[in-house]
Amino acid sequence: MLDVQPNAGHVALAQLEQHIPSVTIITQNIDGLHQRAGSTRVIELHGTINTVSCSAAEHGSLAWPDSPNLPFCSVCAAPLRPDVVWFGERLDLAKIQAAELASQTCDVFLAIGTSGVVAPAATFPMTARAHRARLIDLNLEDTPLSRHARHRLRGTAAQLLPALLAATWAE
Ligand SMILES: [Zn+2]
């Protein structure tokens, strides 16, 4: 995963902060590519693959050890695990609340490449819409969200987002 680079969509969202400093990214991705592209306000609902923590107790998060072997906690010797949310585990309530607040208070909500069916991520666009934000659906195809959107743009994030920025802030 370290070999994967941010695409033009990640870069465009990071550049969006130059025009709108309060941009908040809510993502289900765990790859850290938004931060690597330069985004500063990122809520990773499903955690991050880029750090590990003790699988047995609250012994803190740390960067991946530089070793091909399974790493173990230096405090209690339990195996370390990536800081991602695995199936059957609960999402971080503080992150859900932060995403909810951002959705309630935004003026524009871009729903980008989401299926629109997996909770809670699928609820945030509808929360934003209920609070009178303009909902823009960017996706390859229609989703359950699409009919609620003010605008529907069809394509990949890497195609659509740079074009959207260029069209919005053309010199
Ligand atoms: Zn431990």
Side-chain angles (χ1 to χ4, degrees), residues 51-55 57-63 73-75 80-81 83:
T51 58
V52 289
S53 59
C54 177
S55 61
E58 298 283 333
H59 289 152
S61 290
L62 60 159
C73 177
S74 60
V75 178
L80 297 177
R81 53 162 291 172
D83 288 328

Side-chain angles (χ1 to χ4, degrees), residues 22-142:
S22 62
V23 168
T24 301
I25 312 275
I26 304 169
T27 184
Q28 295 165 281
N29 297 341
I30 58 168
D31 50 30
L33 290 179
H34 286 297
Q35 292 93 327
R36 281 170 61 190
S39 288
T40 59
R41 295 155 66 103
V42 183
I43 300 170
E44 294 173 305
L45 291 174
H46 292 178
T48 175
I49 197 75
N50 291 308
T51 58
V52 289
S53 59
C54 177
S55 61
E58 298 283 333
H59 289 152
S61 290
L62 60 159
W64 275 102
D66 189 14
S67 160
N69 301 319
L70 180 68
F72 294 92
C73 177
S74 60
V75 178
C76 72
L80 297 177
R81 53 162 291 172
D83 288 328
V84 299
V85 179
W86 278 334
F87 286 107
E89 294 182 330
R90 289 177 185 278
L91 302 190
D92 182 341
L93 184 59
K95 289 181 180 177
I96 294 176
Q97 289 172 335
E100 184 74 16
L101 182 63
S103 302
Q104 289 171 358
T105 55
C106 68
D107 298 313
V108 176
F109 192 109
L110 306 176
I112 303 167
T114 178
S115 66
V117 292
V118 180
T123 66
F124 299 130
M126 297 309 293
T127 296
R129 188 174 175 277
H131 287 77
R132 308 227 173 278
R134 184 170 295 215
L135 176 58
I136 305 176
D137 172 46
L138 299 88
N139 213 312
L140 285 170
E141 54 195 11
D142 278 3

